[in-house]
């Protein structure tokens, strides 16, 4: 709009327009009620200004009708806000099945981003226009938050777990990435750029930037370097000391004492770092912990490897958002 | 109204005993209120100084006025001092302590010595925090999220945490005192529905103080324990859960914001009645709204965790209830406005503060709805929009309410009238300065400027410059009442018992009041704020 | 409404000050109260409100315990096994008896029994409180000896070391906070016992005893929650053949 006084960031993702529409609605309601109260106050203050020292106000105590009206009308309006906001939120937090996954690791004070095909970036995120992207994010130290204002997208990045964020870039350009959860000295320096390119350009960029194998390939290498394969044998051979990981991702797992869970990213991460937490039915608690022996990035590579061991995509219901 | 020049009573609580000991060992709730007044004013200016430093730094995008480390400590200390040492005690400990016993017709609060103890606890906690500030500061943000606060920060977290822990007990004891006083020490005939709305507001605030404050106490204790002994409570590297910290923290800190606003709403109810010479419109609705805000306010804390990855269903519940908590506040705003209709409106300075409150609180509260809206909060969370929102309600709301109350009851507390012309000028100054400071922050927040940034993207600068300009005007505006209030103690006209022509038990006793407030227990036969000769229209 | 504009009248006499000659009053009546009855009601209500804040205070720790126990049920069970259930049960019995002696002390004051009877019950309460603390000291010493105090020297031989350290962090935090309240309670009892020995309390004035009793019962009830939560979980289940 006004170049010297910008009011809104660019709308560079498909959801940005939805969020802005919601914003305009909220703005309109707020402006209306603020103006109403302000005007009424000024009008009453002038119209009923005290004219003599001994003047007193009229004896009015209340009105049930008015009270009900100004309780239920705001309630109705806020319920509209609630529903609209909830619907928008559902959409913003449920990535589509075919979203391109990119792993993000936040650490004081930089962003490390890794594409599945092996392209790695620091504080930069290259993306193609029009393709849904799902970020799977972890932190190496404290809580950060990954924010791209032009996409209207944000999620906290929390150590000890994965959070996901998805969007579909809709416009080529360069957009701010900010860390938006205070994380220490250089919090305001933990920034970067998201560069959205036309698909052909993006392919060219990928081709020129892939170094050192895909995430799954790196994960496979780690899997054997760390001797995971001595216990987790591939199926088709005799059952090893640990459960087979083929076709595991996204499916239900039967644990001890008849509990079940879904083998999602969080489960895989926990099983590597804290193997005693959930023990698969029929197996002994023998697995040692790898806490301190693998970095967040290596964890993501191992998880990518396990995902690659699935022949078919997991059932939709089993996939956590 | 007085027809002869008013004279001050010869013996009152101010001159009933001189010397430091008579003040530092007092049991008189009115003197304790003044002890609090001096201390919280000192903390206000300390917090304000930190704010000034922040705003100077933010004039330019680069971190060129102070180093980022220093900036981080500045915004942390600004928040800690303003929240825990100014806003939370302000109206309850100053105006509440002074007025609640008088408004219920009692000689003092239920536990006068506990009242004095609460002041000493407050000062002790404040000393710990000041020591933390001068020996290097804290840089975790006033929200001291784990694991940064427990494992990564290199600042005086434990020292500041101990200060907050200690001061929390001051809040708890004040709330306890008010609750027992309102239940057990009302004068004969003073039923609940004859109480002034200020007392209802203080009662609701006290409920929050006693239920919520212990939780922040244990939370800050656990942070100190984890930091000192490296136990795994919140740090995932040690086996803890950082989200547990956020839940425990916000379980108190959200109700805490209602501790900060409910008393100001109580003040506004009083101001609106006195300066329209009219009964409040919808007395019981306003009274019950205070209670509703206190209760529902305990159920919404998760709206601070919308982007933390908590379950969608938890998000839905917290969003829904957050909308519910807005409704009683809206009801109050409409009732205050309706009270003005056909009133006899005086434009005296306390009323200007009341007008400012109603307008600015409305804006601040409405922007809260943006944040309760799930799909909207994702974009706005942790940006300057949030900062603008809470400053509208805390400064445009709570502080204006406090100043309005201070002006209104100043003649009762001191027996002197402050200069009205200067008061009007200061009120206008504060209103203009405030809006110029914080309105641009809504815009720059939507643009995406994150909070707690020492350096920022250049396109945000114009709004930051406007904001700093406003802050300068606002800061000057706050200094003016300091000056004329101090001057008024000796130089201003004597006020007389009831300079405003107001109703209420406090206006039926001398200014300043005698130590025992009432010569004998008053017997109340009607609503203490009855302006109309009788009830003629409408339903309460 | 009449046609003339409303006029301001001076405030109607909303208060009717009532003069009264100073009446002789109980030596322990504080001057801001109108009667001993009002003072007693205010004091009792004050203690109840304070106890509510204590519930919220302990509540934060209980919440942390709930969350972590849900997260690591097996680990918590394994860790809990190391606690000595006999000491825990003994402490529970001791506290319940101390609540009985406390209630009897309040009753003695309330029914104007001789000072030495009141003092006897109060001293019995203190005695049981000290027994409780003594057993706690034995338990804590055992933990130090077995290296299961969380921190640098924590060693755990079982299957779940991390949850065990968490369990014991919460154990020490919760029982430690409780023990601190016991120590304060014993101090309060000592003061009350001293006042009782000076013939302060009778049926006209026994509020401090009652209010101290409320506090003591509360501390007892917290333990009644702590004992099953910390000592008794999963007693029927032994993980991993331990």
């Amino acid at each position: 709009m006004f170049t010297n006084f910008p009011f809104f960031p660019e709308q560079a993702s498909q959801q940005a327009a939805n969020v802005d529409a919601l914003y305009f609605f909220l703005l309109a309601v707020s402006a209306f009620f603020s103006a109403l109260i302000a005007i009424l106050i000024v009008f009453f203050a002038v119209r009923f200004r005290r004219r003599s020292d001994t003047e007193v106000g009229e004896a009015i105590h209340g009105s049930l009708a008015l009270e009900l009206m100004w309780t239920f009308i705001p309630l109705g309006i806020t319920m509209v806000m609630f529903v609209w906001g909830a619907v928008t939120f559902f959409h913003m937090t449920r990535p589509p099945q075919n979203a391109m996954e990119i792993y993000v690791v936040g650490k004081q004070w930089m962003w490390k981003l890794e594409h599945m095909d092996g392209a790695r970036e620091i504080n930069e995120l290259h993306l193609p226009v029009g393709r849904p992207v799902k970020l799977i994010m972890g932190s190496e130290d404290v809580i950060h938050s990954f924010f791209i204002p032009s996409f209207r997208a944000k999620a906290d990045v929390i150590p000890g777990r994965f959070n996901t964020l998805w969007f579909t870039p809709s416009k080529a350009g360069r957009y701010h990435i900010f860390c938006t959860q205070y994380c220490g000295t250089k919090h305001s320096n933990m920034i970067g750029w998201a560069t959205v390119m036309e698909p052909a350009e993006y392919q060219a960029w990928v081709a020129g930037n892939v170094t050192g194998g895909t995430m799954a390939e790196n994960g496979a290498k780690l899997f054997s370097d760390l001797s995971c394969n001595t216990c987790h044998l591939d199926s088709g051979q005799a059952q090893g000391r640990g459960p087979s990981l083929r076709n595991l991702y996204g499916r239900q797992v039967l644990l001890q004492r008849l509990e079940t869970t879904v083998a999602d990213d969080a489960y895989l991460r926990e099983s590597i770092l804290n193997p005693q937490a959930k023990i698969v039915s029929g197996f002994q608690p023998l697995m040692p912990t790898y806490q301190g022996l693998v970095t967040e990035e290596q964890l993501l590579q191992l998880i990518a490897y396990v995902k690659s061991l699935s022949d078919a995509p997991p059932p939709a219901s089993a996939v956590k958002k | 109204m007085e027809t002869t020049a008013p004279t001050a009573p010869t013996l009152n609580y101010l001159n009933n005993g001189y010397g430091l000991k008579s003040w530092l060992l007092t049991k008189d709730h009115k003197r304790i209120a003044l002890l609090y007044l001096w201390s919280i004013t000192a903390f206000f200016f300390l917090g304000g100084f930190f704010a000034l430093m922040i705003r100077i730094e933010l004039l330019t995008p680069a971190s060129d006025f102070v180093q980022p480390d220093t900036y981080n400590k500045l915004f942390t200390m600004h928040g800690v001092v303003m929240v825990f040492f100014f806003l939370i005690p302000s109206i309850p400990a100053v105006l509440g302590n002074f007025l609640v016993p008088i408004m219920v017709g009692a000689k003092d609060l239920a536990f006068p010595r506990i009242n004095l103890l609460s002041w000493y606890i407050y000062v002790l906690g404040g000393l710990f925090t000041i020591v933390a500030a001068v020996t290097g500061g804290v840089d975790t943000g006033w929200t001291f999220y784990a694991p940064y606060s427990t494992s990564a920060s290199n600042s005086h977290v434990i020292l500041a945490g101990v200060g907050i822990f200690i001061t929390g007990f001051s809040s708890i004891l004040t709330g306890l005192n008010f609750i027992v006083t309102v239940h057990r020490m009302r004068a004969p005939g003073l039923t609940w529905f004859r109480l002034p709305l200020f007392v209802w507001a203080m009662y609701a605030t006290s409920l929050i103080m006693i239920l919520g404050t212990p939780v922040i106490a244990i939370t800050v204790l656990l942070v100190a324990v984890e930091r000192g002994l490296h136990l795994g409570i919140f740090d995932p590297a040690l086996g803890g859960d950082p989200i547990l910290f956020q839940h425990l923290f916000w379980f108190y800190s959200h109700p805490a914001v209602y501790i900060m606003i409910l008393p100001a709403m109580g003040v506004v109810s009083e101001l609106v009645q006195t300066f329209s010479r009219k009964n409040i419109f919808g007395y019981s609705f306003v009274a019950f709204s205070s209670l509703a805000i206190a209760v529902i306010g305990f159920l919404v804390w998760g709206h601070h965790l919308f982007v933390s990855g908590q379950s969608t269903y938890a998000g839905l519940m917290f969003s829904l209830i957050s909308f519910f908590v807005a409704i009683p506040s809206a009801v109050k705003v409409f009732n205050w406005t309706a009270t003005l209709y056909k009133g006899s409106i005086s434009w005296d300075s306390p009323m200007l503060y009341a007008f400012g409150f109603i307008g600015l609180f409305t804006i601040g509260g409405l922007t809260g709805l943006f944040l309760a809206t799930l799909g909207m909060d994702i974009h706005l969370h942790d940006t300057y929009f949030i900062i603008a929102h809470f400053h509208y309600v805390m400064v445009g709301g709570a502080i204006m309410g406090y100043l309005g109350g201070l002006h209104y009851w100043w003649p009762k507390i001191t027996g002197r009238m402050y200069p009205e012309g200067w008061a009007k000028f200061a009120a206008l100054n504060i209103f203009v300065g405030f809006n110029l400071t914080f309105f641009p922050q809504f815009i720059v927040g939507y643009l995406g400027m994150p909070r707690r940034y020492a350096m920022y993207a250049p396109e945000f600068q114009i709004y930051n410059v406007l904001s700093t300009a406003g802050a300068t005007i606002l800061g000057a505006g706050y200094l003016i009442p300091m000056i004329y209030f101090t001057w008024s103690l000796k130089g201003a006209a004597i006020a007389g018992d009831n300079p405003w022509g107001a109703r209420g038990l406090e206006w039926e006793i001398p200014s300043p009041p005698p130590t025992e407030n009432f010569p004998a227990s008053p017997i109340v036969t009607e609503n203490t704020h009855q302006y109309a000769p009788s009830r003629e229209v409408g339903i309460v | 409404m009449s046609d003339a504009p409303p006029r301001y009248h001076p405030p109607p006499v909303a208060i009717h000050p009532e003069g009264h000659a100073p009446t002789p009053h109980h030596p322990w009546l504080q001057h801001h109260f109108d009667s001993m009855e009002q003072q007693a009601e205010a004091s009792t209500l004050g203690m109840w409100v304070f106890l509510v804040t204590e519930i919220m205070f302990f509540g934060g720790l209980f919440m942390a315990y709930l969350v972590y126990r849900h997260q690591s049920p097996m680990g918590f069970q394994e860790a809990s096994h190391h606690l000595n259930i006999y000491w825990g049960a003994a402490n529970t019995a001791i506290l319940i008896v101390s609540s009985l002696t406390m209630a009897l002390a309040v009753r003695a004051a309330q029914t104007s029994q001789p000072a030495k009877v009141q003092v006897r019950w109060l001293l019995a309460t203190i005695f049981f409180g000290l027994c409780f603390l003594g057993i706690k000291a034995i338990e804590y010493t055992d933990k130090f000896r077995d290296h299961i105090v969380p921190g640098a020297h924590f060693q755990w031989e079982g299957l779940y070391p991390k949850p065990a350290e968490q369990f014991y962090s919460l154990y020490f935090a919760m029982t430690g906070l409780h023990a601190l309240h016991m120590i304060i309670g014993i101090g309060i009892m000592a003061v009350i016992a001293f006042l009782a020995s000076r013939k302060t309390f009778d049926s006209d004035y026994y509020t401090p005893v009652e209010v101290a009793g409320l506090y003591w019962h509360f501390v007892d009830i917290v333990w009644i929650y702590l004992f099953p939560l910390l000592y008794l979980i999963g007693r029927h289940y032994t993980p991993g053949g331990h």
Side-chain angles (χ1 to χ4, degrees), chain C residues 70-134:
Chain C
H70 176 77
Q71 226 172 61
S72 328
M74 319 273 274
F76 266 46
Q77 282 173 1
E78 184 188 75
S80 158
H81 263 76
H82 202 101
L83 292 176
N84 188 322
I85 195 179
Y86 301 107
W87 284 134
N91 262 346
T92 308
I94 287 171
L95 271 193
I96 293 178
V97 171
S98 79
S99 266
L100 173 64
T101 55
M102 184 69 230
L104 289 170
V106 175
R107 179 129 184 87
Q110 189 180 28
T111 53
S112 295
Q113 292 184 34
K116 64 177 193 283
V117 174
Q118 298 175 25
V119 172
R120 219 174 277 154
W121 287 124
L122 289 166
L123 287 178
T125 309
I126 292 176
F127 169 73
F128 287 116
L130 289 169
C131 288
F132 176 91
L133 289 175

Side-chain angles (χ1 to χ4, degrees), chain B residues 109-110 184 233 239 241 505 520, chain C residues 15 18 32 38 56 68 150 166:
Chain B
L109 287 175
R184 287 276 172 254
I233 308 173
D241 186 352
L505 284 176
Chain C
I15 63 172
E18 192 184 61
H32 56 285
Q38 187 189 40
M56 298 307 290
Y68 289 122
Q166 256 171 9

